[in-house]
């Protein structure tokens, strides 16, 4: 998650410090928490401190879930405060590593773009797209920024649309088309004395901002708690009073899907699922000076797991396996009646 709240609204250094403390308490979530802390430090203007956090992650003896993402973020940050040569070297390394996650590709390409390296940015977006879209019929949501960024840079370079640009157009859901949003002439509209041109540009900017905010808000979903079968059995064996909350595992899974669909139909955005474990829940209850048998702790536990970056977005992307752990495609399992 890359927070985008202005510094005058949020105390970014304090939030970074809080996230660092939380990472110390929950080392299993340190990577996600420290990345958010580094983003807050960048927003506060303390880029050297952010680089220190990236270095701390990269030197972790336990390894990282996504080291290419951390390196990409470090490169982007370094370039912003004068370390261009080091940033370029890291960017070259990320591209050579060919990560299978679109996020590092987007970050390094946007770093090049922001420093007017449009040809290199276009090449980077294209490399990532070619690698990750091979034999993929329907790009997952995580691929959209890669396609949209590529479309934007190619529009700025005056290149003709190709098949991937057309695909980006079809995936774009804003009322303002990508061609309008990425029109290089838009910058001239901002200096126009014509009220109609200014109003049109404001509408385009609002649409673009809405798209970005939707993407940025996704890592903080409204989360529903899921217990795998073995964990639920252990939980009920240790705390039988919770049987009233969880009469059976099958009922528990059905309740999760029903709850999420009801939330979605009511207009609640950014829904997700967090998976609980008994030791983690017991530790949470102890930290709250309460008993694990207190059912009011369950939604609090879910919210805490989501805040630590443990949530998985619901519904799953097209073709993805079901959230329940059955191994079946979601559309053939709990999503069958969607």
């Amino acid at each position: 998650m890359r927070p985008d709240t202005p510094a005058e609204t949020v105390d970014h250094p304090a939030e970074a410090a809080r996230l660092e403390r939380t990472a110390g308490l929950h080392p299993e979530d340190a990577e996600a928490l420290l990345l958010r802390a580094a983003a807050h430090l960048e927003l506060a203007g303390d880029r050297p401190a952010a680089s220190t956090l990236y270095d701390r992650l990269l030197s972790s003896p336990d390894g990282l879930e996504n080291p290419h993402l951390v390196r990409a973020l470090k490169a982007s940050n370094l370039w912003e405060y004068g370390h261009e040569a080091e940033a370029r070297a890291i960017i070259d390394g990320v591209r050579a590593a060919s990560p299978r996650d679109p996020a590092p590709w987007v970050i390094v390409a946007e770093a090049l773009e922001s420093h007017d390296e449009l040809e290199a940015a276009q090449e980077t977006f294209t490399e990532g797209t070619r690698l990750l879209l091979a034999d993929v019929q329907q790009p997952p949501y995580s691929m959209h920024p890669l396609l949209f960024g590529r479309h934007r840079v190619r529009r700025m370079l005056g290149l003709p649309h190709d098949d991937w640009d057309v695909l980006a157009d079809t995936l774009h859901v804003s009322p303002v088309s990508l061609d309008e949003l990425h029109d290089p002439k838009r910058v001239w509209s901002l200096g126009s004395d014509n009220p109609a041109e200014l109003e049109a540009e404001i509408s385009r900017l609002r649409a673009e901002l809405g798209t970005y905010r939707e993407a940025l808000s996704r890592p903080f979903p409204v989360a529903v708690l899921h217990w795998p079968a073995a964990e639920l059995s252990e939980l009920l064996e240790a705390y039988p009073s919770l049987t009233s909350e969880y009469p059976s595992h099958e009922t528990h899974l059905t309740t999760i899907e029903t709850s999420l669909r009801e939330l979605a139909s009511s207009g609640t955005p950014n829904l997700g699922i967090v998976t609980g474990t008994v030791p983690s829940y017991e530790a949470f209850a102890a930290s709250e000076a309460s008993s694990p048998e207190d059912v009011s702790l369950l939604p609090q536990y879910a919210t805490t797991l989501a805040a630590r970056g443990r949530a998985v977005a619901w519904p799953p992307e097209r073709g993805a396996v079901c959230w329940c752990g059955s191994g079946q495609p979601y559309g053939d399992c709990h999503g069958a009646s969607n």
Side-chain angles (χ1 to χ4, degrees):
M1 170 64 185
R2 309 289 293 165
D4 66 341
T5 311
E8 61 268 19
T9 307
V10 172
D11 187 342
H12 288 294
E15 183 62 12
R18 184 190 70 79
L19 289 165
E20 285 195 66
R21 290 194 299 272
T22 306
L25 295 171
H26 303 285
E28 70 277 15
D29 297 324
E31 184 173 343
L33 292 165
L34 291 178
L35 284 179
R36 286 165 53 195
H40 280 287
L41 290 171
E42 288 186 31
L43 287 168
D46 194 350
R47 293 189 176 276
S51 282
T52 298
L53 280 187
Y54 294 135
D55 288 336
R56 173 178 163 187
L57 281 166
L58 291 169
S59 63
S60 171
D62 299 325
L64 298 172
E65 290 183 13
N66 198 338
H68 302 304
L69 174 62
V70 180
R71 292 190 180 94
L73 290 167
K74 178 183 176 182
S76 177
N77 180 58
L78 284 170
W79 203 336
E80 290 301 320
Y81 75 105
H83 296 268
E84 178 181 343
E86 186 178 357
R88 286 182 180 277
I90 295 173
I91 288 172
D92 289 343
V94 171
R95 292 175 65 178
S98 300
R100 305 298 301 187
D101 173 18
W105 289 103
V106 172
I107 290 164
V108 297
E110 288 185 344
L112 292 163
E113 178 189 357
S114 68
H115 291 88
D116 296 324
E117 301 276 352
L118 297 183
E119 290 283 358
Q122 195 272 149
E123 292 171 5
T124 303
F125 276 124
T126 300
E127 284 176 18
T129 302
R130 184 180 297 116
L131 174 70
L132 299 178
L133 277 187
D135 303 322
V136 175
Q137 294 183 345
Q138 183 66 29
Y141 182 85
S142 60
M143 279 291 303
H144 293 190
L146 189 60
L147 286 164
F148 295 162
R150 182 179 183 274
H151 183 290
R152 180 180 62 250
V153 172
R154 287 173 60 81
R155 189 85 165 85
M156 294 171 68
L157 288 168
L159 299 175
H161 276 14
D162 61 11
D163 290 343
W164 283 330
D165 290 322
V166 174
L167 177 59
D169 283 327
T170 63
L171 295 172
H172 180 65
V173 296
S174 169
V176 180
S177 71
L178 280 184
D179 275 342
E180 282 191 76
L181 289 177
H182 298 161
D183 186 352
K185 296 179 181 178
R186 286 176 59 193
V187 66
W188 298 106
S189 300
L190 295 174
S192 173
D193 292 328
N194 185 328
E197 289 184 359
L198 287 172
E199 185 175 349
E201 179 57 22
I202 289 170
S203 296
R204 286 192 290 266
L205 289 171
R206 282 176 176 164
E208 189 171 21
L209 180 61
T211 301
Y212 277 118
R213 287 199 177 279
E214 179 188 358
L216 286 166
S217 65
R218 282 179 174 256
F220 293 102
V222 175
V224 175
L225 181 59
H226 164 230
W227 295 99
E231 293 293 336
L232 185 60
S233 295
E234 183 180 342
L235 180 74
L236 297 180
E237 183 178 352
Y239 309 104
S241 65
L242 293 179
T243 304
S244 59
E245 186 75 14
Y246 303 114
S248 71
H249 189 250
E250 183 179 352
T251 301
H252 170 51
L253 298 182
T254 301
T255 300
I256 291 173
E257 184 70 24
T258 301
S259 299
L260 288 165
R261 294 190 189 190
E262 289 176 352
L263 287 167
S265 65
S266 70
T268 303
N270 310 327
L271 300 173
I273 296 174
V274 290
T275 299
T277 66
V278 175
S280 169
Y281 179 56
E282 290 174 334
F284 174 74
S287 71
E288 295 292 313
S290 185
S291 167
E293 293 184 284
D294 182 356
V295 294
S296 68
L297 281 181
L298 295 168
Q300 296 177 46
Y301 175 53
T303 300
T304 299
L305 290 177
R308 286 163 48 193
R310 308 294 280 186
V312 176
W314 180 94
E317 295 170 347
R318 182 178 299 181
V321 297
C322 189
W323 54 265
C324 72
S326 66
Q328 300 181 56
Y330 174 66
D332 298 333
C333 193
H334 283 88
S337 59
N338 261 353

